[in-house]
Amino acid sequence: MRRKLSWCLLTIAALLLPLLAVPPAAQARDDAPILDPIPDDPAPSGLGVVLQEVAQLPKSKPTGEPTDPRLLRWNRINHVGEVPDHSGRLYVPDLNGNLYLLDKKTRTPHVYLDVAATFAPDFFSQAGLGQGFGFVAFHPDFAKNGKFYTAHVEAGNALKTKTPDLTPQPKTGYHGVIDEWTANDPKAETFSGTHRELLRIGFAGRIHNLQQIDFNPNARPGDADYGKLYMSVGDGGNGNVGDNGGDPQNLGVPQGKILRIDPSGNDSANGKYGIPADNPFAGQAGKVGEIYAYGMRDPHRFSWDTGGTHRMFLAHIGEHEIESIHELYAGANIGWSEREGAFTFRKDDRCHLYPLPADDDKYKYEYPLAAYDHDPPPDWDCRSDTGHAISGGYVYRGAKLPALRGKYLFTDIVDGRLMYTEESEMKHDSTGTNRAQIYQMQAYDTSGKPVTMKELAGDERVDLRYGSDAKGEPYLLAKANGKIWKIVGTKRFASCKAGPARVGHAMDAKNWTPVTPSKWKFPGDQVVLAEAGEERPGPRRPFEYAVLNKGPALTSTRIDAKVRLDTPVSISNRDVIVIFGYQDDTHFYYTHLSSDNTIYPHNGIYLVNGADRLRIDRQWNANRSHGAPPSITDEAWHRVSVTHCAGTGETAVYVDGKSRPVFTAIDKTLGSGRVGFGSFDNIGRLRDLTVRGTPAK
């Protein structure tokens, strides 16, 4: 028997040995679909931006009758920048056809150039979210040479009479066209001059055509990059399957790439522009010499950091799940359509992403520096749009908003979230697992009222994008109502001044009113919940707590204290609560500090308003059933700070002196009340309590 057992143990050891020799990352790789590719959600930053409306652009409509309601907006403005001639004029392209200039002082818009009319009747904007007059880029020497460049889409007769310059996709249905314009007088308020076509590219689909075109703002006269025009070229909407499947990885075609050309040269195949000799594939047989970087689905926006090491960043719109930010350089390959973000994209499964293969290192893909996923609802039809798309964005290096300096600013086009990452944290990682944290910002109007971009745009679909002026100061613009806002300031979330009342030295039993006095101890320097509470009749709410009766009831409130969970870590779902706005046993707010973030009633901010507690914090992800990371996971003392602003309804909760809150919420249901401490069915204690606030009338 012993001999048989020894043989079994040796056999098991032999089987386990290869597994033990495999690195942990490789062990995790298998063929199972990944149901939640990026579990970490954008975190609250505790930072907000103050927005001032500066312009509303005129209504416009596509060239024909679109069947997609997403094209029926106030207009389709998609960028704002400053003309590089020191005039202070802003420019705004509208996909429906007009290029507007905005006066420096009044920001009144007027039509500078009607692109749609110039290329009628072939100009096309009635199908596809990016079709039409996509972008404009002014030459850095515009003030002298009057040159600027546009990207637009053509269909109709152009498909029969004009030929793409680079390999078109099979079944081409649209042409993306780059034109050079030369103004007779660069100072004029309306365009007068000439134009010539530089480049024409054929696309099969109505989406992911030409996107941004631009010049490197860091290049100076004499630099190799000065005057070189970069162009983001989508995959044509079908770059993963079908006749053009694999185009983004095919260096013989332009689709799914960033191209780089010299508008002043003439050594291209059509003789209308130059191919820079320092392009990574210039002069290589079978490869498009114009390619700068590749492996892209919808390379929506790119930018260069004007500080730091002048890196180039791309905001890339994903297919299934991943919205990502990448660093671009000559020859960079971000992986589409073999990869979406840092995950395997399989053409036989339209609904899921998969782990990377064990030999992934050999492909040298440039994985995201930062990314977030879509988190679709459980009943999501994977053939439909989840309503998420990233738009960069740039690293802010301006002078007027020091709180934003060094942050890469970007938005979600659809839902209007304002987000950022720290440029210093955006580092290359060949495994794609070490990404920079993404943070979400609050928006405020100039009165200090918290608002959402959906509210400012007046629509659930915002169609939001960033722009900037020559000094790098940021603007936001929305297709939903055609408005432009300038970011004129920053503001801390829940930054109200809580005072003048101050309550401290309140550890004596006489200062507290517990639900069940026998369960509490007051040793002099602490408030101790010594016995677990029990559920009581009425709405679902904390079982056991004590209310501070010292001092007045407060409106705006600041609570600073240290708390400890005495329930052993071996027990799950441990918690303590900090109460504010307490009016009676069924009307109060509380923040729940828990070791569990996977269930609705834990680890967040809640309102009890005559009914079961309602979660009001912004960190709960209902589709994935998780909230912010667990706020307390041990039995040590932890510093907690809670600020509630009665005027705005903002609440921010900080733990252990961190600069960013763990939870935030906005709710104005209860205008005033008292503070307290307790739990549901655990034990814990509080010390070093200080309460500041505005006395309620």
Side-chain angles (χ1 to χ4, degrees):
M1 180 70 178
R2 181 179 299 172
R3 186 174 183 181
K4 184 175 181 181
L5 179 61
S6 299
W7 181 87
C8 290
L9 290 174
L10 288 171
T11 301
I12 292 171
L15 292 171
L16 288 175
L17 188 59
L19 294 177
L20 294 174
V22 178
Q27 291 181 34
R29 296 183 175 114
D30 54 36
D31 291 330
I34 300 174
L35 301 182
D36 188 7
I38 303 178
D40 296 333
D41 294 332
S45 66
L47 179 64
V49 291
V50 180
L51 302 180
Q52 182 180 56
E53 183 180 329
V54 295
Q56 180 170 41
L57 278 292
K59 280 187 174 182
S60 67
K61 59 182 181 180
T63 50
E65 291 299 326
T67 57
D68 187 342
R70 295 176 297 177
L71 273 65
L72 299 174
R73 315 309 331 262
W74 179 275
N75 55 35
R76 297 173 65 207
I77 56 175
N78 66 352
H79 185 66
V80 57
E82 184 172 330
V83 179
D85 61 357
H86 306 292
S87 68
R89 297 177 295 175
L90 298 180
Y91 63 85
V92 182
D94 182 337
L95 282 158
N96 288 333
N98 282 330
L99 173 59
Y100 295 95
L101 292 186
L102 276 62
D103 178 78
K104 177 181 180 180
K105 294 182 179 179
T106 67
R107 294 310 187 203
T108 302
H110 67 274
V111 176
Y112 177 72
L113 171 65
D114 188 339
V115 175
T118 303
F119 299 106
D122 294 334
F123 179 86
F124 185 89
S125 67
Q126 68 259 36
L129 295 177
Q131 306 277 69
F133 168 34
F135 216 85
V136 60
F138 285 81
H139 193 283
D141 286 333
F142 172 77
K144 296 179 180 178
N145 64 24
K147 294 186 182 300
F148 63 96
Y149 301 82
T150 60
H152 75 276
V153 175
E154 293 182 6
N157 200 48
L159 301 177
K160 301 176 182 179
T161 61
K162 299 177 182 178
T163 303
D165 297 298
L166 302 174
T167 304
Q169 291 180 325
K171 301 177 183 177
T172 292
Y174 309 92
H175 288 173
V177 187
I178 304 294
D179 277 84
E180 178 186 80
W181 307 73
T182 304
N184 295 330
D185 178 7
K187 297 180 181 180
E189 292 301 303
T190 57
F191 175 78
S192 174
T194 60
H195 69 92
R196 69 183 182 98
E197 185 175 307
L198 291 185
L199 175 63
R200 181 174 292 260
I201 299 174
F203 296 89
R206 63 181 59 182
I207 57 175
H208 312 166
N209 198 304
L210 292 178
Q211 292 283 10
Q212 181 179 353
I213 59 175
D214 223 333
F215 295 92
N216 182 353
N218 298 313
R220 298 291 179 264
D223 294 347
D225 213 25
Y226 190 74
K228 304 302 188 294
L229 182 65
Y230 289 75
M231 299 169 282
S232 54
V233 184
D235 68 359
N238 195 25
N240 51 350
V241 294
D243 294 330
N244 55 311
D247 278 358
Q249 293 297 317
N250 181 357
L251 295 175
V253 300
Q255 294 82 10
K257 316 293 195 302
I258 299 290
L259 306 184
R260 176 175 178 260
I261 67 172
D262 180 1
S264 66
N266 59 12
D267 64 344
S268 61
N270 66 7
K272 299 177 182 179
Y273 59 88
I275 299 176
D278 57 351
N279 275 5
F281 308 109
Q284 297 184 24
K287 299 178 181 179
V288 175
E290 291 89 339
I291 295 173
Y292 180 76
Y294 63 109
M296 298 154 196
R297 175 183 181 268
D298 189 2
H300 188 256
R301 292 289 184 267
F302 58 84
S303 63
W304 289 265
D305 184 2
T306 56
T309 57
H310 292 175
R311 291 191 290 172
M312 183 181 183
F313 297 114
L314 170 72
H316 186 262
I317 297 177
E319 170 88 1
H320 286 334
E321 284 268 5
I322 309 300
E323 306 301 314
S324 52
I325 302 164
H326 300 258
E327 181 178 353
L328 294 185
Y329 48 84
N333 177 6
I334 73 170
W336 178 254
S337 58
E338 305 304 311
R339 302 286 183 270
E340 183 178 345
F343 303 94
T344 297
F345 180 90
R346 282 180 25 180
K347 299 170 181 61
D348 62 341
D349 185 348
R350 307 291 296 168
C351 298
H352 303 100
L353 297 175
Y354 289 80
L356 298 176
D359 63 348
D360 187 64
D361 287 348
K362 71 181 182 182
Y363 298 104
K364 307 299 180 184
Y365 292 132
E366 184 59 45
Y367 287 133
L369 307 174
Y372 65 99
D373 62 6
H374 294 176
D375 287 339
D379 60 350
W380 171 60
D381 179 354
C382 63
R383 296 166 297 181
S384 63
D385 186 357
T386 59
H388 295 290
I390 190 173
S391 180
Y394 67 103
V395 179
Y396 178 77
R397 299 291 183 183
K400 295 184 178 180
L401 306 168
L404 298 184
R405 200 165 295 139
K407 293 173 170 53
Y408 178 85
L409 308 175
F410 64 99
T411 75
D412 188 284
I413 294 173
V414 183
D415 64 30
R417 282 179 293 170
L418 303 175
M419 295 177 277
Y420 72 81
T421 62
E422 297 287 352
E423 183 273 332
S424 61
E425 297 177 6
M426 293 199 295
K427 299 178 181 179
H428 172 78
D429 174 41
S430 60
T431 69
T433 57
N434 298 312
R435 296 178 295 268
Q437 175 65 54
I438 293 175
Y439 298 98
Q440 189 167 338
M441 294 189 293
Q442 175 64 47
Y444 297 90
D445 64 19
T446 52
S447 73
K449 175 187 174 183
V451 294
T452 68
M453 294 312 303
K454 290 182 178 180
E455 291 170 340
L456 289 179
D459 200 294
E460 284 296 302
R461 183 182 177 92
V462 181
D463 266 326
L464 187 69
R465 288 163 177 81
Y466 264 107
S468 69
D469 62 21
K471 295 182 179 179
E473 299 304 326
Y475 291 77
L476 288 161
L477 66 166
K479 294 179 185 177
N481 60 1
K483 290 186 177 182
I484 299 176
W485 300 267
K486 184 177 183 179
I487 298 179
V488 295
T490 58
K491 189 176 184 292
R492 294 298 302 176
F493 188 89
S495 61
C496 58
K497 293 182 179 180
R502 182 183 185 279
V503 179
H505 306 289
M507 296 294 99
D508 291 344
K510 66 181 181 180
N511 297 321
W512 296 85
T513 304
V515 171
T516 310
S518 62
K519 295 182 181 294
W520 293 80
K521 294 181 180 180
F522 298 90
D525 62 343
Q526 299 176 23
V527 173
V528 182
L529 174 55
E531 296 181 28
E534 298 175 356
E535 186 173 2
R536 296 173 289 124
R540 185 74 175 180
R541 64 202 187 283
F543 299 168
E544 186 64 39
Y545 57 83
V547 176
L548 179 67
N549 57 45
K550 184 179 180 181
L554 303 171
T555 56
S556 293
T557 306
R558 166 74 182 265
I559 305 167
D560 291 285
K562 290 183 179 178
V563 303
R564 194 176 90 181
L565 278 69
D566 290 346
T567 301
V569 293
S570 58
I571 298 177
S572 63
N573 302 336
R574 303 177 315 123
D575 71 271
V576 292
I577 64 166
V578 176
I579 291 173
F580 55 99
Y582 181 89
Q583 297 178 355
D584 57 46
D585 187 39
T586 58
H587 295 85
F588 58 93
Y589 295 108
Y590 66 93
T591 182
H592 191 278
L593 306 169
S594 174
S595 59
D596 190 340
N597 73 331
T598 63
I599 54 177
Y600 177 87
H602 274 248
N603 212 54
I605 304 173
Y606 300 81
L607 166 67
V608 179
N609 187 35
D612 289 354
R613 45 70 188 124
L614 174 68
R615 187 161 193 152
I616 60 173
D617 68 88
R618 298 176 166 195
Q619 282 63 68
W620 180 247
N621 185 328
N623 293 336
R624 298 298 190 194
S625 294
H626 70 75
S631 51
I632 297 179
T633 59
D634 53 29
E635 296 169 43
W637 285 100
H638 291 273
R639 202 171 135 202
V640 175
S641 177
V642 180
T643 299
H644 175 68
C645 299
T648 62
E650 296 170 280
T651 299
V653 180
Y654 295 81
V655 175
D656 291 331
K658 293 182 179 178
S659 61
R660 298 184 178 99
V662 291
F663 318 126
T664 59
I666 297 180
D667 185 90
K668 298 174 70 174
T669 303
L670 305 176
S672 64
R674 294 185 172 275
V675 306
F677 171 74
S679 179
F680 271 80
D681 53 359
N682 287 278
I683 57 175
R685 60 189 67 205
L686 173 144
R687 74 180 191 194
D688 301 343
L689 173 68
T690 301
V691 180
R692 298 174 179 85
T694 304
K697 296 181 179 179

